[in-house]
Amino acid sequence: MTILVVTGTGTEIGKTIVTAAVAAAYRDLRVAVLKPAQTGLAPGEPGDAAEVARLAGPHVTAIELARFPEPLAPGTAARRAGLAPVRPYEIAEAAQKLGTEHDLVLVEGAGGLLVRFDEEGATLADAARLMEAPVLVVAPAGLGTLNATALTTEALRTRGLSCPGVVVGSMPADPDLASRCNIDDLPVSAGAPLLGVVPAGAGSLEPADFRARARSWLAPGLGGDRPAG
């Protein structure tokens, strides 16, 4: 059993689509995707974990630990809703339980690595430490991504967490100069290889097309066949 945590340098940069691509690439395995805290959705609305399962295929089990209606950091959203927050040990316990019946467990965070999950300041990094799991970083393509990626991977290293690499979550079809240069510069800033480039709009593909193309976006380290950068 393997646990892989998926975080990002910020929000709305493609974490869910990257998680779905990894799940689709490992279509020969039993995969679980765990979303510890889903924010910004009402009960009954499909969340990120459900979207991963929709795109990646029927071999994926989707689990959500908690849902908070306002689109805020999990700790803030929980407090404002008057609900119990999600604690790092709960994330670790859920992932390890899923691991008893699945070959790969993907844990998708909310926002960036150090977004607070509770009033004590616990983060996804704390859960990753409990799980002793590597943390994949999803980054945007454009201007500003080098600094944000360097800060995220530095935070991982200072906490003794491993980062197998970085994936660009949404690469424009017609990238500007900064985006083109960043493909070469991201591995240097991250101190970790570039393990994938997911095209913008990938999430709008039909699921069958998404599954057929997912491996071409990812390096072998994530189940794909794209050369690592």
Side-chain angles (χ1 to χ4, degrees):
M1 179 269 293
T2 299
I3 299 174
L4 177 66
V5 176
V6 182
T7 191
T9 59
T11 191
E12 300 298 328
I13 58 173
K15 287 190 303 297
T16 299
I17 304 306
V18 169
T19 302
V22 175
Y26 284 111
R27 53 184 172 267
D28 298 326
L29 302 180
R30 299 169 300 168
V31 179
V33 58
L34 174 65
K35 184 74 175 183
Q38 176 70 65
T39 65
L41 292 177
E45 292 185 87
D48 293 342
E51 178 67 358
V52 172
R54 184 187 74 84
L55 288 170
H59 68 293
V60 176
T61 300
I63 299 293
E64 188 181 284
L65 291 187
R67 175 172 291 210
F68 310 114
E70 294 179 317
L72 302 169
T76 305
R79 184 182 71 246
R80 286 179 52 84
L83 298 171
V86 180
R87 309 289 185 183
Y89 77 87
E90 293 175 311
I91 301 172
E93 287 178 354
Q96 289 158 358
K97 182 178 180 180
L98 286 169
T100 64
E101 298 180 348
H102 296 83
D103 305 303
L104 173 64
V105 180
L106 301 172
V107 182
E108 184 195 342
L113 176 69
L114 300 184
V115 167
R116 292 186 168 210
F117 272 73
D118 62 21
E119 69 280 0
E120 296 174 359
T123 68
L124 186 66
D126 296 309
R129 287 184 65 183
L130 290 175
M131 294 182 285
E132 299 182 343
V135 181
L136 180 70
V137 175
V138 179
L143 198 64
T145 194
L146 300 180
N147 179 66
T149 301
L151 289 170
T152 299
T153 53
E154 182 176 308
L156 289 170
R157 287 190 291 270
T158 60
R159 288 163 174 78
L161 295 168
S162 65
C163 174
V166 179
V167 175
V168 172
S170 181
M171 188 69 176
D174 185 19
D176 60 14
L177 177 61
S179 297
R180 296 196 304 272
C181 291
N182 287 341
I183 293 299
D184 293 325
D185 293 339
L186 269 169
V188 178
S189 294
L194 182 68
L195 292 183
V197 178
V198 176
S204 64
L205 294 172
E206 288 297 318
D209 194 14
F210 184 93
R211 296 163 199 167
R213 296 175 61 184
R215 285 178 173 168
S216 70
W217 305 328
L218 303 172
L222 293 177
D225 50 28
R226 181 186 189 276

